[in-house]
Amino acid sequence: MFCSNNSGLYIHVPFCSSKCNYCDFNSYAGKINFADNYFKAMKKEVELYKEYMKDYLIHTIFIGGGTPSVVSERYIFEILEKCKTCFNISDNCEISIESNPGTLSIEKLKAYKKAGINRISMGLQAYQKNLLKYLGRCHSHEDFSASVKNARDAGFENINADIIFGIPGQTIENWKETLSYLISRGINHISAYSLKIEEGTKFGTMEKEGSLVQVEDELDREMYHYAVDYLSEQGLKQYEISNFAKAGYECKHNLTYWKCVDYLGLGAGAHSCLKDVRFSNEVSIEGYIDYLKHGDKPVYENIPLELTDKMSEYMFLGLRLTKGVTGREFFLRFNQDLFSKYKASLEKLEKKGLIEISGDCVKLTSLGFDLANQVFVEFV
Ligand code: SF4
């Protein structure tokens, strides 16, 4: 079948075994009893998009959460089968699933493999037990090692680990130990995030009460720069602000977001951007199931994108990538000259040392990566 458009597909699984202290994702502990109705609802949602998606070819699928690995592998298998029946999926589609160490048995991983999943993402977050406990994580690095071994035994070689720096109490030595541990496990993709204290989380409350003090910026940046240098020496090149990979293991799904390719999000709270409209789903599990019980798309917000929105998004998402953006690609997409359109902003940012312009290409400098938000607001 001829498909004129490319897209990504995101599948949200909002169940977790417990809520981590820093987490503000749309995830719920103690609601796994909804899983059966939730996946039934999601199959209906897939059907509702069948016609709409018929001229799209899906190149990447990301099953995220929540913790998709806490639900039975049967649900994952069935929802992927449903998507394969209703949507056009490319033959070499990257299919990732998020998981937590300790939830990945060899049987589960073999079932994932059979379902077509070819990339496993695991939330390690930190090597040290005291830090894992502080974050509210319910696994150890031994669980992580066992899960990596199981994943390899089941035939997975594309494995990502998520880790966090800037945790109160975390030392630079702790951080180095976490990174070298991942290298010793042969992990080929690492996402390293600076801890953000969000309102509505346990850490948010602790900060308000004064029992949590965020780490100094200086230490946060020292950890970040150490990761950039160390991982690069180990063959995992930085390709985005928070992402590092061996050559050929960059996450294709996340690249669709940063390159502003269309994507459909399924599940509670999932976001989509298709045909110049951004829309998001009902957030609660119960509400999401209810919409679909009545045969309705569970969409609660639709935002049509103007040309200016699309151009600014293209800039601030594209600049997250170490490759940056090029005038040529910008012109092909918008039929406008990037350097005239953003002349004043580009001059200002270049003067501040936050971006560098070389020939047709604009990218962040090392300082720009540290102060990325200052760059992005220029394009909003
Ligand atoms: S496992 Fe992930 S999604 Fe679930 S509570 Fe922890 S951080 Fe949030």
Side-chain angles (χ1 to χ4, degrees):
M1 171 181 276
F2 174 74
C3 301
S4 53
N5 299 307
N6 294 322
S7 88
L9 174 66
Y10 175 75
I11 295 173
H12 190 69
V13 181
F15 308 104
C16 285
S17 40
S18 58
K19 190 81 178 169
C20 301
N21 297 337
Y22 57 92
C23 178
D24 76 332
F25 300 138
N26 187 34
S27 64
Y28 306 87
K31 291 204 172 186
I32 202 135
N33 53 319
F34 284 94
D36 206 55
N37 285 334
Y38 184 79
F39 281 95
K40 274 187 191 140
M42 200 187 278
K43 283 186 211 164
K44 286 190 192 160
E45 191 183 12
V46 171
E47 275 169 20
L48 292 177
Y49 280 103
K50 184 175 176 176
E51 180 62 23
Y52 197 76
M53 292 296 288
K54 73 176 188 310
D55 51 355
Y56 278 100
L57 181 62
I58 293 171
H59 290 277
T60 64
I61 300 177
F62 194 97
I63 307 165
T67 313
S69 56
V70 296
V71 301
S72 161
E73 51 273 35
R74 175 173 67 84
Y75 294 125
I76 303 295
F77 185 86
E78 287 176 5
I79 194 66
L80 283 174
E81 283 304 299
K82 187 73 186 173
C83 291
K84 287 174 197 165
T85 316
C86 294
F87 302 149
N88 308 305
I89 314 266
S90 83
D91 290 342
N92 56 354
C93 185
E94 175 191 270
I95 309 181
S96 307
I97 189 163
E98 281 187 327
S99 63
N100 274 344
T103 57
L104 288 173
S105 65
I106 185 83
E107 293 72 29
K108 188 167 268 188
L109 284 153
K110 281 183 179 164
Y112 288 168
K113 191 84 188 159
K114 207 166 154 197
I117 293 171
N118 46 33
R119 184 172 183 273
I120 302 284
S121 177
M122 288 185 215
L124 169 68
Q125 314 311 357
Y127 175 83
Q128 299 76 18
K129 292 195 168 80
N130 62 319
L131 292 179
L132 288 171
K133 190 167 174 220
Y134 184 71
L135 292 169
R137 305 286 299 178
C138 42
H139 60 81
S140 63
H141 66 81
E142 287 92 348
D143 294 327
F144 179 85
S145 290
S147 295
V148 170
K149 183 180 181 309
N150 284 347
R152 295 242 164 79
D153 290 348
F156 290 97
E157 42 135 11
N158 195 350
I159 300 173
N160 167 65
D162 287 344
I163 46 174
I164 299 178
F165 61 94
I167 305 166
Q170 184 184 34
T171 64
I172 185 77
E173 294 312 322
N174 292 154
W175 178 237
K176 289 180 180 178
E177 189 176 33
T178 298
L179 291 167
S180 64
Y181 165 69
L182 289 179
I183 294 302
S184 75
R185 300 294 99 184
I187 299 301
N188 39 29
H189 188 289
I190 294 176
S191 299
Y193 300 105
S194 173
L195 181 69
K196 295 271 169 296
I197 308 296
E198 307 285 356
E199 246 185 69
T201 63
K202 184 157 180 208
F203 277 174
T205 311
M206 286 165 66
E207 188 181 32
K208 267 192 201 141
E209 291 168 355
S211 58
L212 181 152
V213 179
Q214 296 201 40
V215 302
E216 298 284 332
D217 272 359
E218 206 176 305
L219 177 58
D220 179 274
R221 290 299 86 193
E222 186 186 351
M223 290 179 173
Y224 181 68
H225 290 293
Y226 179 81
V228 172
D229 296 341
Y230 173 73
L231 292 176
S232 166
E233 280 163 24
Q234 301 300 322
L236 281 84
K237 296 270 183 262
Q238 183 181 24
Y239 68 100
E240 191 266 350
I241 294 182
S242 309
N243 285 279
F244 306 82
K246 287 188 186 157
Y249 288 95
E250 296 83 4
C251 176
K252 293 191 184 103
H253 184 79
N254 285 341
L255 284 166
T256 65
Y257 297 138
W258 300 317
K259 291 186 172 173
C260 297
V261 175
D262 279 5
Y263 58 92
L264 171 67
L266 302 171
H271 297 264
S272 305
C273 188
L274 292 170
K275 300 177 186 170
D276 297 338
V277 181
R278 178 177 303 292
F279 51 97
S280 29
N281 278 356
E282 158 66 34
V283 169
S284 75
I285 294 175
E286 297 86 338
Y288 170 80
I289 293 172
D290 205 48
Y291 265 103
L292 286 147
K293 205 181 265 171
H294 293 93
D296 299 325
K297 281 186 182 161
V299 174
Y300 85 93
E301 192 178 33
N302 260 305
I303 306 170
L305 295 177
E306 303 291 336
L307 179 64
T308 7
D309 301 328
K310 289 193 283 174
M311 287 194 288
S312 67
E313 210 164 84
Y314 185 84
M315 289 304 291
F316 68 72
L317 289 173
L319 284 171
R320 296 184 65 91
L321 298 167
T322 51
K323 276 166 75 174
V325 296
T326 64
R328 185 177 172 276
E329 282 172 13
F330 190 87
F331 187 81
L332 283 173
R333 197 156 181 141
F334 303 112
N335 204 25
Q336 290 206 32
D337 179 51
L338 185 161
F339 297 96
S340 318
K341 168 79 190 157
Y342 293 114
K343 191 170 187 292
S345 298
L346 294 174
E347 277 173 10
K348 182 173 156 192
L349 293 168
E350 195 178 25
K351 209 183 242 173
K352 284 185 170 177
L354 297 173
I355 58 165
E356 60 183 59
I357 301 173
S358 122
D360 190 41
C361 178
V362 183
K363 53 185 173 184
L364 296 185
T365 58
S366 173
L367 182 64
F369 274 106
D370 286 335
L371 303 172
N373 286 339
Q374 282 190 30
V375 177
F376 301 155
V377 290
E378 279 298 319
F379 300 99
V380 176

